[in-house]
Each structure stands twice: as C-alpha cells, then as structure tokens.
C-alpha cells in the first residue's frame, strides 16, 4: 500500500458517470453536525479516500459465501440460546470479514474463530457505551468465584473453551490477556473528556484499547508459518506495527460512519488529535493514514517470504472490508462501490 503511486480506479460503472470518486453531491446530508460535515467534506475532496479505494482494486480472494452464511446462522442461534444480544447484521458482517482476512480450512476451527470475532466485536460496541458491562466482564474474567455471571460472561468462557481446542495453551493464555486488556482500555477511554482537554488520552491508552493485538494474532490460525508457538520472535517484533495498522486504518475508514453517528466522531482519535493539537482535521487525518501505511510496510518488511502473502491479504482485506461493508456506509458517498454481503 503506497499512496504516492495511485492507480487509476477501473471498477465498472455506467458510461459517463464517475461513481467511484467523491463529488460534493454525495452523502453529506446524513451528517447532522455542520462542523463535522465540513471536516468530512474536506477529507473527501482531498482524494485520500479515493486513493485507498485504488489500493484495494483487484483484491478478489476466494471466499466461501455459503459457509459464511451457515456460520452466521449457527452463531445467531447460539447467541439466542445463551441469552446474549448480538445484532444479526453484526454477525453477518463479521463472519464475512473473518473469511476475507483469516481463511481457515478446518470448518470447526473456522467457526470457533468466527465465534470469537463476532462476539468480541459486539463486546467492544457494547462496552464503549456501557461502562458497567465492561466492569462486569473484567470482574467475571479476572476474579473467578468472586463475581456473578451474566449471559455475556458465560458466553465469553464458552468461546474461549471452544477456541482452546485449536491452539497452544500458552497462546490461549496470551489471547485471553489481549481480550481483557482491551476491556481495561475501554474503561480508560470512558474517562476522556468530550472537549479533548484531558491528560487521559494517550498513545498508551489507544494501544491498550481496540482489541488490535487480539485481532491480528488470529492470523496464527491460518498457516503453520505464523503459528505463535514457533514464530514468537516475529510476533514480538511485528505486533506494535500490527496494532498501529489496525488502529490507523480503522480510524481513516470509519470517519464517515462516525460523523453520521455524531457522538462517535467526537470520541474518535483523529478528531481528538485535531482538537488537542489545534491542527486542521485533514492534517490529523493524513497523519493517521501515513502512519497506517508505514505500519503496513513495516509488517511486511519483518515477514519471511512464506509469511508475507498471508499478512498482505489480511491487511488489504481489512481495508477492502471497511470500504465495501454496509456497516461503514461508504456506498452513501461512492455509489459504485459494490457492497459485500454474506
């Protein structure tokens, strides 16, 4: 990924209609705050998002959609049986995301990983807006026998028991640690002030939260060349760049959805950086994008030839999924972006 050499976007589109480049007529009416609307418009007019679309052009890995649908249906029934609430759209979106980013041949292992990805995504969404639930999850996970259980905490135990069948016990312990670290990070972020004037907001808190270590190390399930027990040195060297990539690219490709929401835009890292440093939103946006692309290059530089294709697919698929998944609403801005659905 390198925006210094932008390729021409050649997605099929109706003759005479440039549906894959931003125009001022597209999508901004959905943003309620006029200030946010102006910031989003400035970024879109810069061409940086067009460049990200170009970078994912041609990405078309084989994905078994029937299997993704079956996994989503199985998990929907399972959530109901446990009494946990996960929006069906989240389940559909994340099972497809996992299939795109982390292909796993064994169906049972793939379902175990889908379970983790879907439920953790929902946990992040819930805990970001419900501090009490984050506290309950931490107590139940870290103080067994001293905290009451809930449908969510019972399901967390179940999902880790299921994934344990497919990984090394030491990796499982680290995997769990990443999960609970992220919930701790949610509690830290809950202390941020809306006007971005606090001292709580820091790189430490941003790295602690976000589940990024958790998401990236899931790649160890794809191929022996990335298995954590045998390649711990690679993961130790690369993980900081892995986290930077996921954090930064998520930020730069979530900002439209967040602006439509309103409150999420105020809490976003790019907006908070712009406010706290007194710099234009576009400058803060470009900084996050540059950081994400640099992290992408660093991860690939650290990888062996055998590892590199898996890592490149993971990172390219992450950007592709954000641009094409209905969750992020990019079709509002670029009508020619084909949505991906399971």
């Amino acid at each position: 990924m390198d925006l210094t050499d932008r390729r021409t976007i050649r997605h099929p589109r109706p003759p005479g209609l440039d549906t894959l480049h931003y125009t001022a007529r597209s999508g901004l009416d959905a943003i309620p705050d006029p200030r946010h609307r102006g910031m989003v418009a400035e970024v879109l007019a810069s061409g940086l998002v067009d460049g990200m679309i170009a970078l994912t052009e041609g990405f078309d890995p084989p994905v078994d959609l029937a299997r993704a649908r079956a996994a989503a249906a199985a998990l929907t029934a399972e959530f109901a049986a446990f009494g946990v609430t996960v929006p069906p759209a989240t389940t559909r979106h994340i099972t497809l995301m996992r299939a795109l980013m982390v292909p796993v041949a064994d169906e049972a292992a793939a379902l175990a990983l889908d379970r983790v990805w879907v439920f953790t995504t929902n946990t992040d969404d819930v805990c970001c807006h419900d501090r009490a639930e984050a506290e309950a999850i931490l107590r139940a996970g870290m103080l067994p026998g001293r905290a009451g259980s809930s449908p969510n905490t019972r399901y967390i135990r179940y999902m880790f028991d299921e994934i344990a069948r497919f990984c090394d016990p030491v990796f499982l312990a680290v995997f769990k640690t990443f999960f609970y670290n992220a919930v701790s990070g949610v509690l830290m972020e809950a202390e941020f002030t809306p006007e971005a004037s606090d001292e709580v907001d820091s790189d430490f808190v941003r790295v602690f939260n976000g589940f990024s270590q958790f998401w990236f190390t899931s790649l160890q399930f794809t191929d022996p060349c990335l298995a954590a027990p045998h390649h711990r040195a690679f993961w130790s060297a690369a993980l900081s760049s892995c986290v930077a990539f996921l954090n930064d690219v998520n930020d730069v490709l979530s900002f439209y959805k967040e602006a439509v929401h309103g409150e999420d835009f105020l809490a976003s890292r790019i907006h908070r950086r712009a406010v706290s440093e007194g710099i234009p939103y576009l400058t803060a946006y470009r900084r996050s994008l540059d950081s994400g692309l640099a992290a992408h290059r660093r991860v690939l530089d650290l990888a062996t030839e055998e590892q590199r294709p898996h890592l490149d697919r993971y990172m390219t698929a992450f950007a592709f999924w954000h641009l094409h998944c209905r969750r992020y609403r990019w079709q509002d801005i670029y009508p020619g972006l084909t949505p991906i659905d399971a």
Side-chain angles (χ1 to χ4, degrees), residues 229-279:
H230 309 297
H231 299 279
R232 198 169 293 157
F234 165 76
W235 285 113
S236 298
L239 202 51
S240 63
S241 296
C242 296
V243 169
F245 173 83
L246 292 183
N247 282 345
D248 289 328
V249 173
N250 179 69
D251 287 343
V252 301
L253 294 181
S254 298
F255 79 110
Y256 173 70
K257 174 179 74 73
E258 291 167 345
V260 172
H261 184 275
E263 183 182 338
D264 285 352
F265 190 81
L266 289 173
S268 68
R269 179 165 58 160
I270 296 173
H271 181 265
R272 289 181 64 84
R273 174 181 287 164
V275 172
S276 65
E277 297 184 21
I279 59 177

Side-chain angles (χ1 to χ4, degrees), residues 7-21 49-60 320 323-324 331 334-340:
R7 294 175 287 161
T8 302
I9 301 173
R10 295 189 298 271
H11 297 271
R13 54 186 182 267
L17 291 179
D18 189 357
T19 58
L20 282 173
H21 286 80
V49 179
D50 292 325
M52 290 296 286
I53 295 172
L55 288 171
T56 63
E57 182 190 10
F59 179 75
D60 188 24
F320 178 90
L323 289 163
H324 291 265
Q331 288 75 29
Y334 300 93
L337 278 178
T338 306
I340 52 174

